[in-house]
Amino acid sequence: MDNQYTTPERPPVSEAQHPPKTTSDSLAHESLHKALDGQPDDWNTIHPTAITPLRFSFSGHGKDYLSLWLTNWILTIVTLGIYSAWAKVRRLQYVHQNTQLGGFAFGFHGEPKKILIGRIIGVALILISNATNIFGAKLAGAFSLIFILAFPWLYRSSIRFYTRNSSYRNVRFRFVGTAKGMYSLYFKSALIIIFTAGLAFPYVVYRLRRYRIEHSRWGNNTFQFTSSAGAFFGIYILNIVVTALVMLGLAAIAFASASPWLKDFNKDLNHVMTQPTQTQVLILIGLYLLFIYTVYMIGRVLTQDMIFKESWNHIAIGKSRFACDLSIVRLYFIRYGCFIASLLTLGIFIPFAHMIITKRRIESITVTPSHDFDVVQATLDD
């Protein structure tokens, strides 16, 4: 095993081969290649200064993704949903292949048939659950209990499938979390949520994220996660406060708009509530509910964006550390603009929105490579 990898002798490095002046981009790329080439730990003597972080890049375009998106939807409808498994694989392959780090693209190698089998099982469970309701509450309760007990295993299987079918530089990622560990985490989380009346939900999200990251591997390299539960509580509290303030603001606007009607309401109820007025009130209520739903959904998604940023700022693999400079406020307006554009175009803008948001998130991540982040160490154990 010790002689499996040998390091070839390299010729002496001359000044012509390595000119003294290099740009920060070329230094970063050269540093990453040195970190990945499996050579001995002598490159720090060549570049003793701090390494410039290297940023992820995304080359996907809305125009290209539009054709893929339309094809997936058409074939999924024509095949009554069967093609959805192939559609998901094609989508993941497109995103992975257009994501690069240091000139190397990621890959996705999932088999659609396995996804289809998983979805058939999921649909069958739903149909059986609905059927048991017809035969009595006891049978429905027993089946629900079985589904609850099976959920940790299904969740772990989903993570394993996605992770083991992703790769970088032809080296696969892995998930080594055990079924026992997942069940232990699942039931402890359920008890925590029950006894805290749901107030500890951010802590449960933190534990699940930490478990997933720390049990992931790139080949033999282990990921570390150094964030805290307090940071996750802060994210959820901030989201609740901001969402509440926005909804109160919308309520104040709605109340101010309806104040003329409310002043005359006690004077002449029949006069105020004429048919045109009733229609206007219903329209205002509908618009207000739509705004509330939009604020809630965007707040929910942006919570995931904040978790995304917090997580990547506290992930490391070996001595290589990741960072994320995603602007949450800017992304909020981008998401809202994409939502409006999708409504105005009857959904045609959705694939463009997906590419815009994906590019913004991926290109916010940087990595400072280390000499232990190499392909030799990442070789998978068969």
Side-chain angles (χ1 to χ4, degrees), residues 239 243-244 246-247 250 289-303 332 336:
N239 177 59
T243 302
V246 173
M247 287 187 176
L250 291 173
L289 293 176
L290 177 62
F291 274 116
I292 289 178
Y293 177 76
T294 303
V295 170
Y296 167 75
M297 291 303 297
I298 293 180
R300 181 181 176 184
V301 173
L302 286 180
T303 298
Y332 181 93
Y336 194 80

Side-chain angles (χ1 to χ4, degrees), residues 58 60-62 65 68-69 91-92 94-95 334-335 338 342 348-362:
F58 184 72
H61 298 284
Y65 189 67
L68 175 64
W69 182 78
R91 176 176 59 83
L92 290 173
Y94 182 84
V95 173
I334 291 175
R335 284 190 181 277
C338 289
S342 299
I348 298 299
F349 191 77
I350 290 177
F352 294 90
H354 184 71
M355 289 295 98
I356 292 172
I357 295 170
T358 300
K359 183 179 180 68
R360 176 73 60 173
R361 283 163 60 99
I362 290 177

